[in-house]
Amino acid sequence: MVTAAQLAAARAGGVAGAAGRQTVRGAKRVGSGIGRFFTGVGYVFVGGGHFLRSPRLWLLVLVPVALTAVALLGLHEATAALVQVLVDWLLGFVDGWPTAIRWAIEGVVWVSATMFFHSAMTAMTVPLTMFFGAAFFPFITRSVTRQVGGTAVRPPAWHRAAAVCLRQTLIVTVVLQAGWLVIIPLLWIPGVNLAAATAVGLVFNGFLIGLLVLAVPMHHHGVRRVGDQLRFAWRHLGYTLGFGVTSLCVLIVPVLSLRLLVLLPVSPLVAAPGVALYLLTAPAVLVGAVRLFRRITDGPARLGTPSGALVTNVDYRQR
């Protein structure tokens, strides 16, 4: 007969076995999450390599740059004309004053206007390029989607895709310019130091950047509701975080280099390396997002798991 001690031992063994299985499953989940995080990190560089090897995509980036240059040149000429009108108006009040004073007033106005335009141009270079680039991002998305293959989908209308890209780029610009403000409320929490607050801010902004950029290929494949996009990004948190944090780091470098020009009395030509870097990082992030979205959805869809069901169903409805 089975004794009470044997029953207790068997019960304890069952509990220990269940706990062991839970531990193994938890370890696998952690390991899988870490692997997905670094996969997301890698796809920023995959996107950069894909962009550099695709000369057809270069034109879709150079056109917005040319439009930005024309816009900045127009703003420069308009500012110069406005300053001249302002100088003539002010000098009209001091027509009888000594020439030296009139010359000093004119010099102060021109220097002030030049510094103002310099600061405005520095702050507007990246946003203007992104503004014009939003009209070409749908073509980049379509081109990369065709190149990497996958399930054929009917892309959204260009004006809808461009509107989504414009909305996303504007939000990304705000995050890059003011995302550091997230850490300020955290510093008021007892026990949270600057390093911890910075880490939390990096993770939060990284997830937001990942969501915003991945939303472009998601919209292309029919995932167009914000709630669906958020659920997709959360379901694939490791991929989204790894890709978003890395994207944040590579995109913030040219933004910071331009911001420094507002504080330092140097020539705008110093911004050239930062702008050139931005011309690589911005399309690299977008191309990487398209490639990563394909990676996320293609594998699960082939395996028939729930992770790929969302995109599979969307493709079916669009046929």
Side-chain angles (χ1 to χ4, degrees):
M1 295 180 64
V2 180
T3 64
Q6 291 172 327
L7 288 174
R11 194 177 296 112
V15 172
R21 287 191 294 272
Q22 291 289 343
T23 301
V24 171
R25 283 195 291 266
K28 288 182 178 179
R29 283 194 297 268
V30 172
S32 177
I34 295 175
R36 292 179 178 182
F37 178 87
F38 284 105
T39 298
V41 170
Y43 265 83
V44 176
F45 303 99
V46 169
H50 187 131
F51 174 73
L52 291 175
R53 294 192 303 270
S54 304
R56 293 181 180 180
L57 299 179
W58 299 351
L59 180 62
L60 299 176
V61 174
L62 293 178
V63 172
V65 173
L67 293 175
T68 303
V70 171
L72 291 176
L73 180 61
L75 289 173
H76 180 272
E77 295 301 321
T79 302
L82 181 62
V83 170
Q84 185 61 55
V85 171
L86 178 62
V87 168
D88 293 340
W89 179 73
L90 289 176
L91 293 181
F93 289 98
V94 293
D95 189 40
W97 291 25
T99 303
I101 297 179
R102 289 165 53 84
W103 178 84
I105 293 175
E106 182 177 2
V108 169
V109 173
W110 274 106
V111 170
S112 301
T114 301
M115 293 180 62
F116 172 79
F117 177 77
H118 170 73
S119 301
M121 183 186 69
T122 300
M124 293 175 62
T125 299
V126 169
L128 272 178
T129 308
M130 296 182 76
F131 174 78
F132 290 119
F136 295 86
F137 288 164
F139 299 117
I140 295 177
T141 303
R142 295 178 185 184
S143 178
V144 176
T145 300
R146 287 194 300 267
Q147 290 174 10
V148 300
T151 305
V153 296
R154 185 177 62 202
W158 171 83
H159 67 280
R160 295 184 182 277
V164 171
C165 292
L166 178 60
R167 180 191 66 191
Q168 303 304 83
T169 53
L170 290 177
I171 299 175
V172 168
T173 302
V174 172
V175 173
L176 294 177
Q177 297 287 349
W180 59 273
L181 295 174
V182 174
I183 70 175
I184 293 180
L186 299 176
L187 297 177
W188 293 90
I189 302 176
V192 177
N193 57 26
L194 181 60
T198 302
V200 173
L202 181 63
V203 170
F204 176 81
N205 289 313
F207 176 79
L208 183 58
I209 291 290
L211 168 63
L212 292 171
V213 182
L214 281 171
V216 175
M218 276 193 268
H219 181 268
H220 177 84
H221 286 82
V223 188
R224 295 167 188 167
R225 295 182 179 178
V226 176
D228 292 337
Q229 295 172 356
L230 179 59
R231 282 188 289 271
F232 182 90
W234 185 257
R235 185 183 303 118
H236 304 286
L237 181 61
Y239 291 122
T240 305
L241 269 183
F243 181 79
V245 170
T246 309
S247 299
L248 176 63
C249 293
V250 301
L251 289 173
I252 199 67
V253 174
V255 173
L256 290 178
S257 67
L258 291 173
R259 181 177 291 178
L260 286 176
L261 294 182
V262 180
L263 305 176
L264 302 177
V266 295
S267 170
L269 293 177
V270 178
V275 174
L277 179 61
Y278 165 76
L279 298 180
L280 172 62
T281 57
V285 167
L286 177 60
V287 174
V290 177
R291 295 288 303 267
L292 179 59
F293 182 81
R294 163 76 192 281
R295 164 66 183 269
I296 294 173
T297 58
D298 186 49
R302 287 200 308 265
L303 297 175
T305 59
S307 299
L310 178 63
V311 177
T312 302
N313 292 337
V314 170
D315 293 343
Y316 176 79
R317 288 195 300 267
Q318 291 186 337
R319 293 176 183 174

